[in-house]
Amino acid sequence: MKNVYNAITIIIVSLLFSNLSVNAQHIGFMQSDAFQAGSLLVSVSEGHTASVFTTRNIIPNSESPAKAQRSEVIGCRDPFFIEFGVTNHWGVGLSTGTDIYELNPSKLYGFQRTDNKPITVSTSDFTFTSSYHFFANKRLDLSAFIDLGGFNVKFKQKEEDTQSYQYTANGNLMRIGGRVKYYFFHHFGVFGMVSSYAGHTSPKKVTDNTIAGNYTTNVSGCAVEAGLCYRFSR
């Protein structure tokens, strides 16, 4: 349900930015470069992320929580971005994405499935973006960005007709990185990006967890992504 709300929010903001973009064209703000004041940019990508999961069992009223457990994993990433040009160099926008991992529950969350299989864990982020475009011409756009926003970690699985496992932890995330976009056509192009991120979560305010109810989860690492981009401009 949260992903549905995120998608609706992005659609509404996209329509508002699109209207601003059209108005900007009429008052003469638009330029011919790949990034410009008043333009709306939409991007979707696929990629991989090298992450470090760190979990800790925070026992209530304990002055010496259990030792943190760490696991290095590779995940698949699937994000979506929109951005609006405030000036010819600065842009603001929204981004949302989901990463998927296979993890060892015994090492990280203190339980083991009866079939000894790993668990599928997803992380989701919904962030506000600020970017600086330090170079742009008619086809090429180079920028750096920072994302700040919400972040969660969850898994929900059920063994065959036996025990079910459900865990959710919520928190925040910061991501910094760089993007390069190249437009083969006036509106359509391709892009690549690299980023580094850190997310911190806690299950304290979640009431329906059935496992690992005292475990915090922190995720940090780097991501490499590539995809398609579209710009609304004249």
Side-chain angles (χ1 to χ4, degrees), residues 16-77:
L16 291 174
F17 282 169
S18 181
N19 184 60
L20 288 173
S21 178
V22 172
N23 291 336
Q25 292 184 44
H26 289 299
I27 60 177
F29 286 123
M30 301 300 291
Q31 305 296 327
S32 60
D33 288 340
F35 182 82
Q36 57 220 340
S39 61
L40 174 67
L41 311 176
V42 179
S43 307
V44 61
S45 69
E46 295 282 346
H48 288 84
T49 177
S51 304
V52 177
F53 271 72
T54 304
T55 62
R56 186 188 296 272
N57 184 6
I58 304 297
I59 304 173
N61 302 321
S62 172
E63 296 181 359
S64 57
K67 181 180 178 180
Q69 299 297 321
R70 290 166 50 92
S71 183
E72 298 179 1
V73 291
I74 301 295
C76 297
R77 179 161 173 77

Side-chain angles (χ1 to χ4, degrees), residues 167-221:
Y167 170 87
T168 300
N170 301 311
N172 53 71
L173 175 138
M174 181 177 72
R175 182 186 299 272
I176 58 174
R179 294 191 184 101
V180 54
K181 295 182 178 181
Y182 187 84
Y183 291 89
F184 291 100
F185 305 101
H186 184 71
H187 293 287
F188 286 98
V190 295
F191 82 99
M193 61 176 282
V194 295
S195 64
S196 177
Y197 58 90
H200 308 277
T201 69
S202 170
K204 287 185 177 180
K205 296 182 180 181
V206 180
T207 59
D208 55 356
N209 285 342
T210 62
I211 202 76
N214 294 320
Y215 279 73
T216 61
T217 302
N218 296 333
V219 187
S220 60

